[in-house]
Every structure is written in structure tokens, then in C-alpha cells.
Amino acid sequence: MTVHPGVATPSLQTPGRLRALLVVLCAALALVVAGNSALAIALPDVARALGADQGELTWIIDAYALTFAALLLPAGIAADRAGRRNLLIGGLLVFGGAGIASAFAPDPAWLIGLRALAGVGAAAVFPVTLSALVDAYPESRRGFAVAVWSGVSAAGAVAGTIVAGLLLEAFWWGSIQIAFGVAALALVPAVAVLVAQRRDPTLSLDPLGAAWAVVALAGLVYGVIEAPQRGWGDPTTIAALGVGALALAGFVRHELRSAAPALDVRLFRNRGLAAGSLLVSLQFFASLALFVLAPQYLQLVRGLSPLEAALALLVIGLGVGAGTALAPSALRRVGARIPGTGGLLAMAAGFVLLAAALGRADAPGQLASPWLLAAGLLVFGAGFGLAVTPGTVLILEGLPAERRSVASAVNDITREVGGVLGIAVLSSALISTYRAEIAPALGSIPADAAGPTSAGAAAALGVAADLGDQGAALADAARAAFAAGVGTALWLGAAILAAAAITTWFLAPRR
């Protein structure tokens, strides 16, 4: 990288300072990773408090993930150009402020908008957490730092659900947003002291490429989320998907023709970068969707409290820890292809087990097949932990060293784009199945209650509570329909993961 006057360059770090940097950056990483999983555990409470339907609940999660994903690439370039410390501090301020404000949102629309703003802050935080670590740590210990970062990126989602569950035992859903917002603001002084201000002002921000990417993601995600409610043949759905596809083509064309592209798409001819991007995106396609769907199921269908639902999911962290511990040695011995493929297959197997455990409605307060649920979460977590480090390393090694923040942003984009699409696609599968399954029960309830009942299980259970004896049958039908929808989503996710594993085996380099 060219060194310019007034541009700080990394200095040798003492062991104590490296440890402090690792703690601070991983704390920032955990906050933005848990930004979705923590609120997901509270979605039933949000639905009751704000009157949100299932589509709005999906947007509450995806609005954050969408702006997060769409702005990661320009944020990575901005970090390399304007300075990593500056961008990280700005991101923490925006993330924290929007999070605190969202706790007092009066309706779903306000909450969706503030969640989107929090995603802007998260986009500024995420790429710096990895690039600053990679630059600060010597090559001999860089694998350790990346493994810790990868483990935190996976475990952060689990930790977020536990923290959220504990808060919901005593407070309302907005307490989660306040706690995470305050924690983000509290990290700012440590970041100002520990993170190096490395920058290269000659880099191009490529605003047109960023605009194409935002439009492409927004169109595709909007179409996928709205399709179950409007119909796949609805003009709005078709128009959104068409705009997204055209914008994606425009992004590729622009990047190919640009003299200073934000992301040279020709680099994806590198098999390692292509395989790593596929590997990471499909991991988060499945995992973020799981953290949105499973808590709702455990609370709405099984009648668990938010804390009980979070604790039921805790076993996934044990699997992630075991898989992450095995990944570095497997990567050194056999390369990325075997652990990457094996991890995806294990995740698919975990989804199959979870579909068997969650694809039916049991009596409220009871959790049938607890061992099957635990086994599914453990196997899924182990597969995730095993594959996430190889995927990250393949991406980092696929881009030049002087574009570390961009490489980190590519890694993060694949995660977040995969997560956005996973939440959208699997939630859409759930909604479609739920509506088909609940339809026979709509004829036996008042006409004005049919709309809310078909909008989602949380609303249906609220309607059932007002119908007296007649409501018991409706509540049972809603739980069964929601369980069937979760089962459909998990089977679809398992099939996608298995296909990705096969593709990774043939695409990834042998060593």
C-alpha cells in the first residue's frame, strides 16, 4: 500500500495491547451480529405490542440486514480511504443511537426505519473488526485471531438471544435495543485508543457501484418477502424482482467497465474466492433464518417464555465451539475444501433433525422430542463452526493484501446477503405454508377476524383469546399451521445446504 503524508501506519503491538484490541473488536463484532438474533427472540412481544403482522416482523429483521449488506462494500472502501478508527467510531455511534431510539418506536413502520438506520451503523463497524485484527496481528498468530473472530461472529448470535431472554424476563422488548445501544456507545473510548488509523486517500469510493448494489438487494429482497402476501404473479412482486435483477446486472456491468471498481467481479474467477463466498453466504442463509424462525416457534407453538426459548437454543453454541476448535488444524492439514464441504453437510443434517423436531405442534408448554431438538442444534452448530473459518480464509486470500478492509467487506457482504435472503426465502416458505394450512379454520370465525388470523400466528392467537370456547380450536389450528410452515422452511433449507456442499466440493481448491 502506498504511504501518504499524514497517514498513520500500523506499529508493532505489545501482547497486552493485542489482547485488548481483540477484546474490543470482538465486542463490537458481537453487538452487530447479535443485532438481529437478540430482537428475533422478542418478535412475539413486538407483534403484540405494535400490532405487527408476519410480513412486518420479517421486515423488522430484514431492514437491518438489508442496509447492513448493501453498504458493507462502500463501508470497507471508506475504512481504507478515510481511516478505520474514524469509520468504526462513527458506526458505533449510529448503531447505538438508532438502537436506543428504536426502543420507543410507536408502530412497526417506525421500528423498521430505525432498524434500517442501525444497519447503516453496523455496516461501518463490521469490516473494520476483521481488517484491523488481521493487520495488527503478526502472521504467525493471525490464524488464531481469525479463528477467534469467526467464533465470536457465530457465538454472538447465540449470546444475543440469551441476553435478550434475560432482559425480557423483567422488562419490555425495547430494553434489548437500549442495552445493545448503550453497550455500543460505551466501546467508543476504547476504540479511539486501540484501533490504528490506517488509510489510503487515493482509493475510489465508487458511489455508482454502491447505488446499483443497494437497488439490486432492495428489489430482490422486497419481492421475496412480499410474494407470499401479494402472490408471485402480482405486478408489484414481479416489478420488484425485475428491478432487482436488472440492478444486479447493472452492478456487474458497471464494475467490469469501471477504471476503479469497488469490487472487481473478475476476481471471482479465483476458485478460492468464489468457493469461500458461496460457503459463507449459505452458512448465514441458514443460520440467520434459524435464529428468526426457531424462537417464534418455541414461544408461539410450544408456549415457552423468551428466556426458555433462548436457553433451548443455547446448545447450538456448544456445537459452534467444537467445530471452530477443529477448523484451524483441519485447514492446515487438508485445506479448505474438506472442512467446508463437511460443515455444510452437517448443517443440512442438523436442519433435517430440526424439521423432525419442530415440524409439528405439541401442547403449549410442552417440548416434545427435546433430545431430537438438541441433537439438531448441536449438529448444525458443529457444521457451522467447522466451515466458517475455511470460508473466511478463502475470501481473505482471494483479494490483495492492500485491500484488507475490502476483503473483510466481501466476507461480510456474503454473510449478510446470505442472511437477508435466508430470512426472506425461508420466512416466505413459512408464510405460504401457514396460510394454506390455516385457511380451513377461517370459515368458522367472524369475517373481521379472518384477516389478522391469516397474517400470522401471533395475531391468530390474539384473536383466539377473544373468542372464548370457539377460540381454542382456532389456537390449535394456528399452532399446527405455524409448525407446518417451520417444517417446510427447514426442509427447504436442508436441500439448499446439501446442494451448496456439493458445489463447494467441486469448486474449492484442493489445498
Side-chain angles (χ1 to χ4, degrees):
M1 187 188 81
T2 304
V3 178
H4 298 268
V7 178
T9 56
S11 59
L12 294 176
Q13 302 272 20
T14 65
R17 192 176 177 90
L18 280 178
R19 284 192 295 271
L21 179 68
L22 182 63
V23 170
V24 169
L25 291 179
C26 285
L29 168 67
L31 286 175
V32 298
V33 167
N36 260 344
S37 65
L39 191 58
I41 203 79
L43 286 180
D45 286 12
V46 173
R48 288 187 288 267
L50 301 184
D53 62 28
Q54 194 66 42
E56 289 170 327
L57 293 178
T58 302
W59 269 114
I60 287 169
I61 299 297
D62 260 347
Y64 175 86
L66 180 58
T67 54
F68 194 170
L71 295 175
L72 274 169
L73 185 58
I77 298 172
D80 284 336
R81 174 172 172 154
R84 292 172 184 168
R85 183 171 62 234
N86 288 342
L87 199 73
L88 182 53
I89 290 174
L92 288 170
L93 291 174
V94 172
F95 175 85
I100 293 171
S102 69
F104 305 99
D107 55 47
W110 269 99
L111 181 54
I112 291 168
L114 288 168
R115 292 280 294 158
L117 181 59
V120 174
V125 171
F126 210 128
V128 178
T129 61
L130 181 56
S131 60
L133 276 180
V134 170
D135 275 340
Y137 269 77
E139 189 172 354
S140 60
R141 300 194 63 205
R142 194 168 293 157
F144 163 77
V146 172
V148 172
W149 185 94
S150 298
V152 171
S153 71
V158 180
T161 62
I162 300 299
V163 172
L166 289 169
L167 289 170
L168 290 173
E169 289 291 301
F171 307 106
W172 92 115
W173 66 267
S175 63
I176 300 169
Q177 302 301 92
I178 292 175
F180 279 74
V182 170
L185 298 180
L187 287 175
V188 169
V191 167
V193 172
L194 293 169
V195 176
Q197 182 75 310
R198 182 176 181 178
R199 59 192 179 93
D200 181 353
T202 65
L203 293 176
S204 170
L205 288 175
D206 190 18
L208 183 56
W212 277 119
V214 171
V215 174
L217 282 171
L220 294 173
V221 172
Y222 183 87
V224 171
I225 291 176
E226 293 295 312
Q229 302 190 49
R230 298 176 179 270
W232 288 97
D234 182 82
T236 301
T237 302
I238 295 173
L241 294 174
V243 168
L246 289 174
L248 180 60
F251 171 78
V252 173
R253 182 174 182 270
H254 170 76
E255 296 301 294
L256 288 173
R257 296 168 63 112
S258 175
L263 176 62
D264 188 349
V265 294
R266 298 177 187 87
L267 292 171
F268 285 91
R269 295 172 182 169
N270 179 302
R271 291 177 59 187
L273 180 61
S277 300
L278 175 69
L279 185 58
V280 171
S281 64
L282 268 297
Q283 284 184 278
F284 284 86
F285 177 98
S287 61
L288 292 189
L290 178 63
F291 275 103
V292 170
L293 302 183
Q296 294 183 74
Y297 171 89
L298 292 172
Q299 293 176 72
L300 296 175
V301 178
R302 299 293 174 85
L304 302 185
S305 70
L307 180 57
E308 289 170 336
L311 293 174
L313 296 174
L314 186 58
V315 68
I316 197 172
L318 300 176
V320 170
T324 303
L326 291 173
S329 60
L331 192 61
R332 287 193 303 269
R333 292 180 180 180
V334 297
R337 184 174 69 159
I338 292 177
T341 301
L344 288 177
L345 288 175
M347 291 175 69
F351 260 27
V352 170
L353 293 172
L354 289 171
L358 305 183
R360 60 171 183 252
D362 298 300
Q366 296 181 9
L367 186 57
S369 308
W371 294 109
L372 191 59
L373 172 64
L377 292 172
L378 187 65
V379 171
F380 180 88
F384 184 98
L386 181 62
V388 69
T389 300
T392 300
V393 169
L394 283 171
I395 292 173
L396 288 176
E397 292 181 350
L399 286 171
E402 66 272 14
R403 305 304 299 274
R404 283 263 163 75
S405 289
V406 175
S408 175
V410 171
N411 177 64
D412 303 337
I413 289 167
T414 57
R415 294 161 58 105
E416 294 306 315
V417 169
V420 168
L421 294 177
I423 294 167
V425 170
L426 298 192
S427 293
S428 294
L430 183 155
I431 294 170
S432 296
T433 301
Y434 171 83
R435 290 192 165 180
E437 295 288 330
I438 198 66
L442 299 181
S444 60
I445 61 175
D448 59 350
T453 298
S454 64
L461 294 176
V463 170
D466 295 332
L467 293 180
D469 294 338
Q470 184 184 10
L474 177 62
D476 289 342
R479 292 189 186 97
F482 194 85
V486 170
T488 299
L490 290 170
W491 280 111
L492 175 60
I496 292 172
L497 286 167
I502 295 171
T503 304
T504 299
W505 177 260
F506 289 104
L507 183 61
R510 291 181 177 272
R511 298 290 299 180

